């Protein structure tokens, strides 16, 4: 076996340029497979992260575009979604687990000599549950803050760092639009969302405080949007149905009127995005596989040339006692060696390409062990499959003909 | 009781070219005893090379019987013939037929590889065989770094290494000058005196003179079978 390997390596080495060029086909094919799967996996993982960042079983409610004499205005402008609507949903919709109405406004924050621009969100305690925020220090907002519309806030870790550096912000005072708020807690960092947004760059205040002091709207108590969490995944659809019925009733819409709110199933949205990235991965993989196949055909081509060129060698080996299977395994091994070496270089190149994509294009990639194993196995199979025919052809030569060949 | 090593009876080999049939061998019978040095002579097209291919198990006869060392090899399978070539026969060709990318040592060890001999023993036996043909100083040379005579010595070492009882030499001096030819023939003579049976194909009388018996072929038949006192080689 060792001798066979040595023989194969020697004869491949003897035709360095040719072996290299033949290998190149497989190198590119495997590299493409690795890189494409890495990109696809990266996109997929990003989706999953987005999903977990969002929380599970999420439904998003927005105030819809009302018709004013046939002219549709932009969504949210009618602002007919109120805090009372959301409270009613929490009370009456059985399939709904938690609600987090929110109003938000970008604001300049000042703290002593530091300042920072961030999103200030007014919401209820349900916000933290639904969005998976946990306190790092201090506490979260509670019902009491909401009832009293107190001037307290919880800040994200990015805000904490920008305004306070290494100091503990709990108990200190910051000014949001010149109004002083007491920091009662800091949120544990969540990192970037799937969309590349910093999820720690925010300030949360009680929704009542926000409505009264920060966001002035035309209709009292109106909110822009709310996150609602269904009790579990199987109840998402019934939750949507219940909410639609309730909101239509509360907004006194007749049967022929459109909804003046928008309900979107976030889980479904993310899932369908995930599905489309999966399809993309598959397509990219198929394209990459085709290039691997082409590489394999290159190997077969070269092995056929090699068999013809080395007919005399085959004759000599047969004359001194090589059986058909000895010849067959020699040529097969050469083909497999070519494709496997190509596969190894391809894996390295593919990993490098994925790294480059992440580094320069900022696309997330993930080189999975599975993809590497797949590519290695596939390139080996390509070698066997495309090496088999030339090897078989070589072994069929009659020693007398092979010896006479010039 | 004679010790017959090679026996052929009514050997026929027919080649077809289109409609025509050509009997390259037309019912040839002869036997060779162990230890003989036989030269096969004849003009080109006489069937001597075809006979050599049959004896070498490189080709199968159309009909007839070939007994080698008591075994009927007339209709064995390809792999069985490969085995016979491996253990019973050693080849020396006109064009040397060494593998150009291998060293002398690796070329000589080649038959042992297909015999399944372990690497250390292969190396040892190949070294001994090269020592036997006086090429100890060329173990790691490639064929293209050696003279024709040296290459043919490597080929003879390759034929000897497997302890095959029969050495088949097909015009072994065809590509060599006279002086080197005589050296190679001297080497084959001494190999013969050590007990190997040597069958030689040649068309040169001074080369055939080294043999103890001459079989003359013409038109696919044996026309003469004479014994002679062999010319003694200088080497030995």
């Amino acid at each position: 076996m060792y001798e066979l390997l040595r023989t194969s390596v020697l004869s491949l080495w003897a035709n360095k340029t040719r072996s290299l060029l033949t290998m190149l086909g497989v190198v590119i094919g495997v590299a493409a497979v690795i890189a494409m799967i890495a990109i696809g996996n990266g996109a997929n993982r990003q989706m999953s992260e987005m999903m977990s960042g969002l929380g599970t079983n999420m439904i998003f409610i927005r105030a819809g575009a009302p018709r004013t004499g046939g002219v549709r205005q932009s969504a949210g402008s009618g602002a007919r979604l109120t805090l009372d609507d959301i409270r009613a949903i929490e009370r009456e919709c059985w399939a709904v687990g938690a609600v987090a109405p929110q109003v938000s406004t970008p604001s300049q924050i000042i703290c002593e000599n530091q300042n920072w621009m961030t999103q200030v969100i007014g919401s209820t305690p349900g916000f933290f549950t639904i969005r998976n925020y946990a306190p790092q220090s201090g506490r979260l907002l509670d019902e009491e803050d909401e009832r009293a519309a107190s001037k307290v806030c919880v800040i994200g870790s990015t805000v904490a760092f920008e305004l306070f550096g290494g100091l503990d912000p709990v108990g200190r005072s910051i000014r949001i639009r010149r109004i002083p708020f007491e920091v009662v807690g800091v949120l544990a960092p969540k990192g970037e969302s799937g969309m590349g947004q910093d999820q720690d760059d925010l300030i949360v205040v009680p929704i009542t405080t926000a409505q009264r002091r920060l966001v002035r709207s035309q209709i009292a108590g109106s909110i822009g949007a709310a996150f609602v969490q269904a009790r579990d995944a199987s109840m998402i659809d019934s939750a949507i149905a219940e909410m639609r019925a309730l909101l239509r009733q509360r907004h006194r819409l007749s049967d022929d009127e459109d909804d003046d709110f928008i309900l979107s199933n976030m889980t479904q949205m993310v899932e369908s995005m995930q599905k489309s990235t999966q399809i993309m991965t598959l397509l990219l993989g198929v394209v990459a596989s085709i290039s691997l196949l082409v590489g394999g055909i290159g190997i077969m081509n070269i092995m056929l040339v090699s068999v013809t060129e080395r007919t005399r060698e085959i004759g000599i080996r047969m004359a001194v006692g090589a059986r058909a299977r000895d010849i067959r395994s020699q040529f097969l091994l050469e083909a497999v060696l070519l494709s496997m070496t190509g596969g190894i270089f391809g894996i390295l190149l593919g990993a490098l390409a994925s790294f480059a994509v992440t580094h320069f294009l900022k696309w997330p990639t993930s080189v999975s062990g599975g993809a590497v194993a797949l590519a290695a196995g596939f390139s080996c199979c390509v070698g066997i499959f495309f090496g088999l025919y030339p090897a078989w052809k070589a072994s069929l030569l009659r020693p007398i003909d092979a010896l006479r060949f010039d | 009781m004679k010790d017959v090593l090679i026996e052929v009876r009514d050997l026929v080999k027919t080649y077809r070219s289109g409609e025509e049939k050509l009997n390259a061998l037309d019912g040839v019978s002869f036997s060779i005893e162990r230890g003989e040095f036989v030269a096969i002579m004849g003009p080109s097209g006489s069937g001597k090379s075809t006979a050599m291919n049959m004896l070498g198990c490189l080709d199968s006869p159309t009909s007839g019987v070939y007994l080698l060392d008591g075994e009927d090899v007339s209709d064995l399978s390809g792999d069985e013939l490969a085995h016979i070539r491996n253990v019973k026969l050693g080849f020396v060709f006109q064009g040397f037929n060494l593998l150009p990318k291998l060293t002398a040592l690796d070329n000589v060890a080649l038959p042992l590889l297909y015999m399944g001999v372990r690497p250390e023993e292969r190396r040892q036996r190949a070294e001994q065989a090269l020592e036997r043909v006086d090429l100890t100083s060329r173990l790691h040379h490639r064929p293209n770094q050696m003279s024709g005579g040296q290459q043919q010595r490597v080929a003879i070492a390759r034929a000897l290494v497997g302890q095959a009882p029969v050495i088949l030499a097909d015009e072994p001096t065809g590509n060599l000058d006279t002086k080197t030819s005589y050296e190679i023939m001297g080497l084959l003579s001494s190999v013969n005196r050590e007990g190997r049976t040597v069958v030689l194909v040649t068309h040169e009388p001074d080369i055939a003179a080294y043999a103890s018996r001459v079989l003359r072929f013409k038109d696919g038949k044996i026309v003469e079978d004479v014994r002679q006192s062999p010319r003694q080689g200088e080497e030995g």
Side-chain angles (χ1 to χ4, degrees):
Chain A
M1 186 63 210
Y2 163 75
E3 195 65 25
L4 208 62
L5 202 67
R6 202 172 76 112
T7 309
S8 306
V9 170
L10 268 176
S11 66
L12 292 177
W13 191 248
N15 287 308
K16 279 185 277 296
T17 319
R18 184 202 284 180
S19 301
L20 219 65
L21 286 174
T22 311
M23 238 188 296
L24 202 60
V26 178
V27 171
I28 292 172
V30 169
V33 169
I34 296 279
M36 292 307 148
I37 292 181
I39 289 171
N41 275 349
N44 229 334
R45 206 166 65 178
Q46 192 178 32
M47 292 295 154
S48 308
E49 271 166 16
M50 200 163 101
M51 188 116 128
S52 65
L54 209 63
T56 47
N57 312 328
M58 286 288 259
I59 302 156
F60 187 63
I61 312 179
R62 262 187 312 157
R67 276 171 202 277
T68 317
V71 180
R72 299 189 72 175
Q73 296 175 359
S74 72
S77 64
R80 286 199 56 192
L81 195 63
T82 64
L83 194 53
D84 288 339
D85 286 336
I86 301 306
R87 294 233 164 89
I89 285 172
E90 193 176 20
R91 242 183 359 256
E92 293 176 29
C93 296
W94 179 81
V96 168
V99 294
Q102 72 177 51
V103 291
S104 64
T105 170
S107 309
Q108 198 70 29
I109 315 300
I110 297 164
C111 173
E112 290 171 7
N113 59 349
Q114 301 289 327
N115 74 92
W116 184 246
M117 184 78 181
T118 190
Q119 195 71 19
V120 175
I121 296 171
S123 194
T124 59
F127 176 86
F128 304 103
T129 331
I130 289 180
R131 301 290 302 273
N132 292 336
Y133 281 105
Q136 185 179 46
S137 65
R139 63 174 179 89
L140 299 175
L141 301 177
D142 57 25
E143 314 280 339
E144 183 53 40
D145 298 322
E146 197 182 324
R147 240 192 317 277
S150 31
K151 290 184 278 179
V152 292
C153 67
V154 171
I155 63 178
S157 54
T158 303
V159 178
F161 178 79
E162 294 296 339
L163 294 180
F164 296 98
L167 297 172
D168 184 10
V170 177
R172 288 171 183 269
S173 170
I174 58 174
R175 277 178 296 154
I176 305 173
R177 298 205 176 156
R178 301 176 191 279
I179 303 162
F181 279 76
E182 185 197 352
V183 178
V184 294
V186 180
L187 298 173
K190 276 176 64 169
E192 276 186 16
S193 78
M195 301 291 203
Q197 232 172 3
D198 183 357
Q199 300 184 91
D200 302 316
D201 188 6
L202 82 171
I203 294 182
V204 189
V205 300
I207 192 161
T208 42
T209 317
Q211 282 178 324
R212 235 170 266 176
R213 302 187 182 270
L214 300 175
V215 187
R216 297 284 148 97
S217 65
Q218 301 145 310
I219 302 171
S222 81
I223 56 166
F227 283 102
V228 173
Q229 194 170 32
R231 279 183 199 277
D232 65 50
S234 64
M235 292 192 196
I236 294 175
D237 288 337
S238 44
I240 289 174
E242 285 177 16
M243 286 192 286
R244 170 164 291 130
L246 182 69
L247 288 175
R248 284 187 74 88
Q249 185 202 337
R250 285 180 63 89
H251 293 182
R252 294 193 178 84
L253 297 174
S254 60
D255 286 350
D256 56 346
E257 272 178 299
D258 287 339
D259 289 348
D260 59 355
F261 51 88
I262 297 163
L263 292 170
S264 6
N265 181 343
M266 298 300 278
T267 309
Q268 203 175 46
M269 236 168 70
V270 174
E271 270 171 2
S272 67
M273 277 160 83
Q274 218 163 13
K275 203 165 273 176
S276 68
T277 60
Q278 269 164 6
I279 289 170
M280 182 185 81
T281 308
L282 194 72
L283 281 177
L284 289 175
V286 166
V287 170
S289 304
I290 289 171
S291 68
L292 194 55
L293 198 74
V294 172
I297 293 170
I299 286 185
M300 178 149 80
N301 188 15
I302 284 303
M303 291 312 294
L304 282 173
V305 170
S306 172
V307 166
T308 310
E309 244 182 25
R310 287 155 64 194
T311 302
R312 203 177 176 80
E313 176 192 329
I314 295 166
I316 294 168
R317 287 179 182 275
M318 284 179 158
V320 301
R323 290 155 300 182
R325 82 172 101 114
D326 295 320
I327 300 296
R328 211 156 43 223
S329 33
Q330 185 188 333
F331 279 89
L332 196 56
L333 192 67
E334 277 182 33
V336 171
L337 222 55
L338 265 181
S339 68
M340 266 186 33
T341 317
I344 289 167
F345 282 119
I347 288 169
L348 293 178
L349 190 70
L352 206 69
S354 312
F355 177 76
V357 161
T358 307
H359 193 256
F360 294 111
L361 298 180
K362 309 283 178 210
W363 285 5
T365 59
S366 152
V367 180
S368 67
V372 169
L374 185 84
F378 204 45
S379 66
C380 196
C381 289
V382 160
I384 291 173
F385 183 76
F386 290 105
L388 217 51
Y389 174 64
W392 175 74
K393 228 186 131 190
S395 74
L396 281 192
L397 285 168
R398 294 190 331 140
I400 184 68
D401 299 332
L403 269 175
R404 281 209 197 115
F405 187 86
D406 284 312
Chain B
M1 188 68 188
K2 286 179 178 175
D3 187 3
V4 175
L5 184 57
I6 291 174
E7 183 172 4
V8 297
R9 284 198 297 263
D10 300 323
L11 214 56
V12 174
K13 180 67 183 181
T14 310
Y15 291 113
R16 290 172 154 276
S17 63
E19 289 294 290
E20 276 180 73
K21 280 186 184 177
L22 179 76
N23 282 345
L25 283 182
D26 194 3
V28 170
S29 301
F30 62 88
S31 59
I32 296 171
E33 287 169 41
R34 199 179 294 274
E36 275 194 285
F37 190 162
V38 179
I40 296 178
M41 295 191 72
S44 51
S46 62
K48 61 182 195 301
S49 289
T50 310
M52 199 61 165
N53 291 337
M54 298 296 148
L55 291 182
C57 292
L58 293 167
D59 206 353
S60 304
T62 311
S63 70
V65 177
Y66 173 17
L67 297 171
L68 174 60
D69 208 3
E71 188 179 354
D72 186 355
V73 298
S74 322
D75 38 33
L76 291 181
S77 74
D79 280 0
E80 287 165 333
L81 287 176
H83 179 68
I84 296 285
R85 288 195 296 271
N86 193 214
V87 300
K88 294 276 168 74
L89 304 169
F91 291 92
V92 180
F93 299 96
Q94 178 177 1
F96 319 132
N97 276 347
L98 299 174
L99 293 183
K101 284 162 208 155
L102 300 187
T103 62
L105 202 60
D106 285 337
N107 262 296
V108 172
L110 203 59
L112 301 178
L113 170 68
Y114 294 117
M115 237 177 252
V117 175
R118 298 182 142 279
E120 318 88 68
E121 192 188 335
R122 277 209 303 264
R123 194 189 155 83
Q124 202 186 349
R125 283 172 67 178
E127 273 178 22
Q128 281 169 4
L130 281 164
E131 206 174 314
R132 172 68 192 82
V133 299
D134 286 329
L135 277 179
T136 321
S137 61
R138 293 282 187 275
L139 297 185
H140 301 291
H141 286 57
R142 302 246 170 110
N144 61 5
Q145 296 166 315
M146 291 186 276
S147 70
Q150 285 170 337
Q151 289 187 53
Q152 198 58 299
R153 280 165 188 271
V154 174
I156 291 171
R158 184 178 65 189
L160 292 174
V161 77
Q163 303 297 333
V166 183
I167 306 292
L168 299 173
D170 192 354
E171 310 236 18
T173 59
N175 286 3
L176 302 173
D177 61 47
T178 312
K179 182 171 173 289
T180 318
S181 294
Y182 291 160
E183 279 170 24
I184 292 297
M185 287 318 295
L187 180 58
L188 283 175
S189 294
S190 75
V191 165
N192 172 242
R193 282 197 298 279
E194 285 163 13
R196 307 288 175 88
T197 305
V198 179
V199 181
L200 165 79
V201 167
T202 184
H203 52 261
E204 293 168 80
D206 59 332
I207 296 300
Y210 284 86
S212 59
R213 179 182 170 194
V214 177
L215 288 174
R216 203 174 293 275
F217 276 66
K218 197 181 178 193
D219 298 330
K221 287 182 160 59
I222 296 178
V223 292
E224 195 181 46
D225 182 355
V226 292
R227 286 169 201 277
Q228 62 186 24
S229 68
R231 172 178 170 180
Q232 292 302 314
E234 294 79 33
E235 210 255 21

